[in-house]
Amino acid sequence: MVLLLLVLAVRLPLLWLGVPLSAVELHAFLIGERLHSGAMPYRDLYDSTAPLASTLYGLLEAVGSRPLWLYRALALALLVMQAVRLNRILNRADVHPERGYVAALTYLLVASVTSDLDILSPLLVGHTLVVYALSALLPTSREGYDNRRLFQAGFLLGLAALFYLPLALFLLLALFAVIIFAANSFRSFLLLLCGFFFPYVVVGTVLLYADALPAFSQFHLRPTLAGFTAGADGMPRLVQLRLLILPGVLLAAALLRTFATSLGLVFQVKFLQLMLVWLVVTIAVIFVGDGRAPGTLVLALPPLTYFGLFLWQRAPRPWLLELLLLVLIGTVVGIRYRSVLPFGNLLPIPAEESFAVQPNPAYTSVHNQTLLVLGTDRRPYLTNRLATPYLDWRLAQHDFGHLNEYAAIFRLAHNMRQPPAYLIDEHNLLPELRYKLPTTFGRYAPTSTPHLFKLVK
């Protein structure tokens, strides 16, 4: 309860100051609206978001229209769940001589350093499943084989990858856990693989019957594996790196203290090795996500929390640890409230408000209308609704980039059966579209606003 109150004390005043809408959340709202209206991911929506993340956004849209409060509340709840679960795992496994709630405190404090973890991102949701998978891997060292637990661990990792595909790399962590804990590593890893691919088989079957399986490969698997859409809506890489300075310094200090501490039990040594592998896998996932995927910091929180136990362990001068904790809390508060504190301008980190989505002043005359933007600017959707599958403009090049092909024209005609009320043409494609599909695009007349066209009944 004290931990929850501390986290709320850091975060709740930010709600009073105002919650800026991020590009990630606007993207999620648009996905949720399309799926809530009956669209099938990938078949009726050109977007690379993982299938379970898209489904979650669609379900949240059923609660209310663009429920930002619900997104923020769920993100906070998931962080608390991760911290409490990891703290319980560390205490139950006796990986450190001292038990308590210091691990959860460290987890939630460091997680509060960036607004990225206030966002209900696919990475944050998937990482929750990774933390729960860790507890399913550990008992093999003491209870021998437990097929249900091994299958459960693989199943949870499969679900995590269906929220954020690069999390599939945590199979390497599971493999290492099997090697150091299990007696029959090959058989155990086969059980993990069966559990991992089971949710993919279920999702693939659903998409197959919905005639969306080829599009799933084209719009999700290929672009994500190629890094084509990685970090498209995240903070700039330089800002991400600056926000990682505090966790990085804390992790470095914790590692130095850890390696200066002797571990007595063999299991404790093995768990230390497991956390080192977690760090390596974290770097790999960050690399695949281009370092800008929203919520990237959450990947490093479990190993940082574990090594932090050695940093906070009893020392000859306990007041130093208390001072360090106060400095950590003060630094986190200073970073989060840098936009309102007098010395906030001394920090070389832009305020969160600078990354908030603002309406495009050129198209403020269009409100509560169905809209299609032929370009990368999603700001007009802030006050309007997406009416076509073309959410991600780079993926929309599958049609708009091949206007000299009959198949692309056919798909355009199919996807534009119900034309939106307004169209914004950023790339001057409308003349060619009028020539190729006059019955659809020939009905758009120019308005007084440049690049804005209105559908004429």
Side-chain angles (χ1 to χ4, degrees):
M1 181 60 68
V2 175
L3 292 175
L4 182 59
L5 291 177
L6 179 60
V7 175
L8 293 178
V10 174
R11 294 171 179 261
L12 285 183
L14 294 171
L15 300 178
W16 181 77
L17 294 172
V19 181
L21 180 68
S22 66
V24 180
E25 289 165 321
L26 176 60
H27 186 193
F29 290 161
L30 297 175
I31 294 173
E33 287 176 344
R34 283 292 294 168
L35 267 63
H36 183 59
S37 64
M40 171 62 66
Y42 315 116
R43 186 192 68 189
D44 305 319
L45 184 65
Y46 286 27
D47 185 72
S48 63
T49 303
L52 290 189
S54 300
T55 303
L56 175 62
Y57 296 147
L59 293 174
L60 294 179
E61 189 65 24
V63 177
S65 178
R66 301 188 176 185
L68 180 59
W69 63 271
L70 184 56
Y71 276 64
R72 296 298 175 96
L74 284 177
L76 177 58
L78 289 176
L79 274 176
V80 174
M81 288 172 57
Q82 291 178 29
V84 172
R85 184 67 175 185
L86 183 63
N87 193 98
R88 182 182 176 186
I89 293 171
L90 297 177
N91 285 341
R92 187 183 62 185
D94 290 326
V95 300
H96 192 270
E98 300 177 11
R99 293 189 177 190
Y101 293 94
V102 177
L105 174 63
T106 305
Y107 199 102
L108 293 174
L109 268 180
V110 179
S112 300
V113 78
T114 172
S115 61
D116 249 8
L117 296 183
D118 296 342
I119 298 171
L120 188 66
S121 63
L123 176 53
L124 177 62
V125 182
H127 187 263
T128 305
L129 297 168
V130 173
V131 172
Y132 275 76
L134 175 62
S135 62
L137 289 170
L138 294 182
T140 56
S141 64
R142 298 181 179 183
E143 301 173 8
Y145 280 120
D146 190 338
N147 295 346
R148 291 172 299 176
R149 286 189 175 275
L150 290 173
F151 185 87
Q152 177 189 0
F155 181 78
L156 290 172
L157 291 176
L159 290 179
L162 285 171
F163 277 101
Y164 183 70
L165 183 58
L167 290 177
L169 290 173
F170 275 93
L171 269 176
L172 300 175
L173 178 72
L175 173 59
F176 183 78
V178 165
I179 291 175
I180 63 175
F181 291 141
N184 192 329
S185 302
F186 180 72
R187 180 185 174 186
S188 300
F189 190 62
L190 286 181
L191 286 170
L192 282 169
L193 289 179
C194 289
F196 177 84
F197 285 111
F198 179 75
Y200 268 93
V201 170
V202 174
V203 171
T205 302
V206 173
L207 294 175
L208 176 64
Y209 280 99
D211 195 26
L213 188 58
F216 169 70
S217 174
Q218 181 177 14
F219 294 138
H220 172 60
L221 294 179
R222 296 179 192 173
T224 306
L225 292 175
F228 185 60
T229 58
D233 296 317
M235 291 183 181
R237 187 180 292 106
L238 184 60
V239 176
Q240 290 272 29
L241 291 175
R242 290 173 179 174
L243 289 172
L244 289 176
I245 291 177
L246 175 63
V249 171
L250 191 64
L251 177 60
L255 285 171
L256 290 175
R257 186 75 186 275
T258 301
F259 293 129
T261 303
S262 61
L263 299 175
L265 301 177
V266 174
F267 180 80
Q268 293 178 349
V269 175
K270 289 183 177 180
F271 196 89
L272 170 63
Q273 296 170 349
L274 186 66
M275 287 294 103
L276 290 174
V277 173
W278 191 305
L279 276 178
V280 175
V281 174
T282 293
I283 295 173
V285 176
I286 293 175
F287 178 79
V288 173
D290 196 31
R292 294 174 53 202
T296 297
L297 173 61
V298 76
L299 295 167
L301 290 181
L304 190 154
T305 299
Y306 165 73
F307 293 116
L309 291 176
F310 298 90
L311 182 64
W312 304 115
Q313 67 183 350
R314 295 178 183 176
R317 298 181 178 87
W319 62 270
L320 285 177
L321 298 180
E322 297 175 2
L323 178 61
L324 179 60
L325 179 60
L326 291 176
V327 170
L328 176 61
I329 296 175
T331 305
V332 170
V333 172
I335 292 176
R336 287 308 303 268
Y337 290 86
R338 60 188 180 276
S339 60
V340 295
L341 292 177
F343 58 84
N345 55 356
L346 300 178
L347 295 174
I349 306 175
E352 278 81 359
E353 290 77 6
S354 60
F355 303 106
V357 180
Q358 302 293 338
N360 190 328
Y363 308 112
T364 54
S365 59
V366 183
H367 289 279
N368 297 323
Q369 301 290 337
T370 56
L371 180 67
L372 169 62
V373 178
L374 301 181
T376 59
D377 187 6
R378 293 178 185 162
R379 291 178 296 170
Y381 291 122
L382 189 61
T383 55
N384 298 281
R385 301 186 305 277
L386 177 69
T388 68
Y390 304 111
L391 173 58
D392 191 319
W393 179 245
R394 290 174 294 181
L395 297 180
Q397 295 306 300
H398 178 61
D399 291 347
F400 289 99
H402 300 84
L403 294 179
N404 58 339
E405 299 177 7
Y406 175 78
I409 298 299
F410 178 81
R411 289 190 297 269
L412 274 172
H414 176 77
N415 293 331
M416 296 289 293
R417 286 172 299 176
Q418 295 180 345
Y422 285 86
L423 184 148
I424 297 176
D425 185 11
E426 295 181 356
H427 298 279
N428 196 29
L429 294 175
L430 198 55
E432 185 175 1
L433 291 171
R434 283 172 174 163
Y435 176 74
K436 300 289 178 62
L437 286 171
T439 56
T440 300
F441 292 97
R443 299 163 57 189
Y444 284 95
T447 64
S448 58
T449 303
H451 307 295
L452 179 63
F453 299 83
K454 183 178 181 179
L455 182 69
V456 179
K457 301 292 185 179

mmCIF file of all heavy atoms in Angstrom, residues 197-212:
data_model
loop_
_atom_site.group_PDB
_atom_site.id
_atom_site.type_symbol
_atom_site.label_atom_id
_atom_site.label_comp_id
_atom_site.label_asym_id
_atom_site.label_seq_id
_atom_site.Cartn_x
_atom_site.Cartn_y
_atom_site.Cartn_z
ATOM 1 N N PHE A 197 4.394 -21.244 -29.790
ATOM 2 C CA PHE A 197 3.721 -21.207 -31.089
ATOM 3 C C PHE A 197 2.222 -21.486 -30.990
ATOM 4 O O PHE A 197 1.491 -21.236 -31.956
ATOM 5 C CB PHE A 197 4.368 -22.206 -32.053
ATOM 6 C CG PHE A 197 5.690 -21.748 -32.569
ATOM 7 C CD1 PHE A 197 6.869 -22.388 -32.188
ATOM 8 C CD2 PHE A 197 5.789 -20.660 -33.426
ATOM 9 C CE1 PHE A 197 8.096 -21.968 -32.654
ATOM 10 C CE2 PHE A 197 7.015 -20.229 -33.898
ATOM 11 C CZ PHE A 197 8.176 -20.877 -33.517
ATOM 12 N N PHE A 198 1.762 -21.990 -29.841
ATOM 13 C CA PHE A 198 0.339 -22.291 -29.727
ATOM 14 C C PHE A 198 -0.540 -21.056 -29.942
ATOM 15 O O PHE A 198 -1.494 -21.093 -30.734
ATOM 16 C CB PHE A 198 0.038 -22.932 -28.367
ATOM 17 C CG PHE A 198 -1.404 -23.250 -28.167
ATOM 18 C CD1 PHE A 198 -1.985 -24.338 -28.806
ATOM 19 C CD2 PHE A 198 -2.202 -22.459 -27.349
ATOM 20 C CE1 PHE A 198 -3.332 -24.630 -28.625
ATOM 21 C CE2 PHE A 198 -3.534 -22.746 -27.159
ATOM 22 C CZ PHE A 198 -4.104 -23.835 -27.802
ATOM 23 N N PRO A 199 -0.284 -19.900 -29.266
ATOM 24 C CA PRO A 199 -1.122 -18.727 -29.537
ATOM 25 C C PRO A 199 -0.990 -18.224 -30.970
ATOM 26 O O PRO A 199 -1.958 -17.702 -31.531
ATOM 27 C CB PRO A 199 -0.626 -17.685 -28.526
ATOM 28 C CG PRO A 199 0.694 -18.163 -28.060
ATOM 29 C CD PRO A 199 0.681 -19.648 -28.175
ATOM 30 N N TYR A 200 0.189 -18.409 -31.593
ATOM 31 C CA TYR A 200 0.338 -18.014 -32.991
ATOM 32 C C TYR A 200 -0.526 -18.885 -33.893
ATOM 33 O O TYR A 200 -1.094 -18.404 -34.882
ATOM 34 C CB TYR A 200 1.810 -18.088 -33.415
ATOM 35 C CG TYR A 200 2.549 -16.790 -33.230
ATOM 36 C CD1 TYR A 200 3.249 -16.529 -32.059
ATOM 37 C CD2 TYR A 200 2.534 -15.821 -34.216
ATOM 38 C CE1 TYR A 200 3.922 -15.322 -31.878
ATOM 39 C CE2 TYR A 200 3.194 -14.617 -34.051
ATOM 40 C CZ TYR A 200 3.889 -14.380 -32.881
ATOM 41 O OH TYR A 200 4.532 -13.185 -32.708
ATOM 42 N N VAL A 201 -0.630 -20.165 -33.563
ATOM 43 C CA VAL A 201 -1.483 -21.058 -34.356
ATOM 44 C C VAL A 201 -2.943 -20.630 -34.234
ATOM 45 O O VAL A 201 -3.680 -20.603 -35.239
ATOM 46 C CB VAL A 201 -1.299 -22.521 -33.898
ATOM 47 C CG1 VAL A 201 -2.339 -23.419 -34.541
ATOM 48 C CG2 VAL A 201 0.100 -23.012 -34.245
ATOM 49 N N VAL A 202 -3.369 -20.290 -33.038
ATOM 50 C CA VAL A 202 -4.758 -19.863 -32.831
ATOM 51 C C VAL A 202 -5.037 -18.571 -33.594
ATOM 52 O O VAL A 202 -6.036 -18.457 -34.323
ATOM 53 C CB VAL A 202 -5.040 -19.678 -31.330
ATOM 54 C CG1 VAL A 202 -6.434 -19.099 -31.111
ATOM 55 C CG2 VAL A 202 -4.912 -21.008 -30.595
ATOM 56 N N VAL A 203 -4.155 -17.581 -33.447
ATOM 57 C CA VAL A 203 -4.345 -16.307 -34.144
ATOM 58 C C VAL A 203 -4.271 -16.511 -35.660
ATOM 59 O O VAL A 203 -5.069 -15.937 -36.415
ATOM 60 C CB VAL A 203 -3.297 -15.275 -33.679
ATOM 61 C CG1 VAL A 203 -3.337 -14.030 -34.548
ATOM 62 C CG2 VAL A 203 -3.538 -14.905 -32.231
ATOM 63 N N GLY A 204 -3.328 -17.347 -36.107
ATOM 64 C CA GLY A 204 -3.217 -17.616 -37.537
ATOM 65 C C GLY A 204 -4.465 -18.277 -38.091
ATOM 66 O O GLY A 204 -4.888 -17.975 -39.215
ATOM 67 N N THR A 205 -5.081 -19.167 -37.304
ATOM 68 C CA THR A 205 -6.311 -19.821 -37.759
ATOM 69 C C THR A 205 -7.440 -18.813 -37.897
ATOM 70 O O THR A 205 -8.200 -18.825 -38.882
ATOM 71 C CB THR A 205 -6.713 -20.934 -36.770
ATOM 72 O OG1 THR A 205 -5.639 -21.873 -36.661
ATOM 73 C CG2 THR A 205 -7.961 -21.655 -37.245
ATOM 74 N N VAL A 206 -7.562 -17.921 -36.918
ATOM 75 C CA VAL A 206 -8.602 -16.887 -36.990
ATOM 76 C C VAL A 206 -8.391 -15.996 -38.208
ATOM 77 O O VAL A 206 -9.331 -15.694 -38.960
ATOM 78 C CB VAL A 206 -8.612 -16.051 -35.695
ATOM 79 C CG1 VAL A 206 -9.560 -14.858 -35.824
ATOM 80 C CG2 VAL A 206 -9.002 -16.910 -34.508
ATOM 81 N N LEU A 207 -7.153 -15.583 -38.424
ATOM 82 C CA LEU A 207 -6.859 -14.720 -39.572
ATOM 83 C C LEU A 207 -7.058 -15.461 -40.888
ATOM 84 O O LEU A 207 -7.455 -14.861 -41.895
ATOM 85 C CB LEU A 207 -5.430 -14.195 -39.465
ATOM 86 C CG LEU A 207 -5.150 -13.242 -38.297
ATOM 87 C CD1 LEU A 207 -3.668 -12.893 -38.232
ATOM 88 C CD2 LEU A 207 -5.982 -11.966 -38.426
ATOM 89 N N LEU A 208 -6.785 -16.763 -40.896
ATOM 90 C CA LEU A 208 -6.981 -17.548 -42.111
ATOM 91 C C LEU A 208 -8.451 -17.576 -42.508
ATOM 92 O O LEU A 208 -8.803 -17.349 -43.672
ATOM 93 C CB LEU A 208 -6.461 -18.968 -41.901
ATOM 94 C CG LEU A 208 -6.675 -19.950 -43.068
ATOM 95 C CD1 LEU A 208 -5.900 -19.498 -44.297
ATOM 96 C CD2 LEU A 208 -6.260 -21.362 -42.657
ATOM 97 N N TYR A 209 -9.321 -17.830 -41.536
ATOM 98 C CA TYR A 209 -10.757 -17.864 -41.830
ATOM 99 C C TYR A 209 -11.303 -16.483 -42.144
ATOM 100 O O TYR A 209 -12.349 -16.365 -42.784
ATOM 101 C CB TYR A 209 -11.517 -18.483 -40.655
ATOM 102 C CG TYR A 209 -11.467 -19.987 -40.640
ATOM 103 C CD1 TYR A 209 -10.557 -20.663 -39.825
ATOM 104 C CD2 TYR A 209 -12.311 -20.748 -41.445
ATOM 105 C CE1 TYR A 209 -10.490 -22.048 -39.810
ATOM 106 C CE2 TYR A 209 -12.260 -22.130 -41.445
ATOM 107 C CZ TYR A 209 -11.350 -22.776 -40.620
ATOM 108 O OH TYR A 209 -11.291 -24.141 -40.622
ATOM 109 N N ALA A 210 -10.615 -15.437 -41.687
ATOM 110 C CA ALA A 210 -11.045 -14.068 -41.985
ATOM 111 C C ALA A 210 -10.395 -13.530 -43.254
ATOM 112 O O ALA A 210 -10.571 -12.347 -43.581
ATOM 113 C CB ALA A 210 -10.710 -13.154 -40.812
ATOM 114 N N ASP A 211 -9.644 -14.389 -43.948
ATOM 115 C CA ASP A 211 -8.962 -14.001 -45.185
ATOM 116 C C ASP A 211 -7.989 -12.845 -44.943
ATOM 117 O O ASP A 211 -7.858 -11.927 -45.758
ATOM 118 C CB ASP A 211 -9.983 -13.616 -46.257
ATOM 119 C CG ASP A 211 -9.353 -13.552 -47.654
ATOM 120 O OD1 ASP A 211 -8.342 -14.249 -47.878
ATOM 121 O OD2 ASP A 211 -9.865 -12.796 -48.508
ATOM 122 N N ALA A 212 -7.300 -12.888 -43.787
ATOM 123 C CA ALA A 212 -6.353 -11.829 -43.451
ATOM 124 C C ALA A 212 -4.963 -12.370 -43.164
ATOM 125 O O ALA A 212 -4.086 -11.605 -42.771
ATOM 126 C CB ALA A 212 -6.860 -11.052 -42.233
#
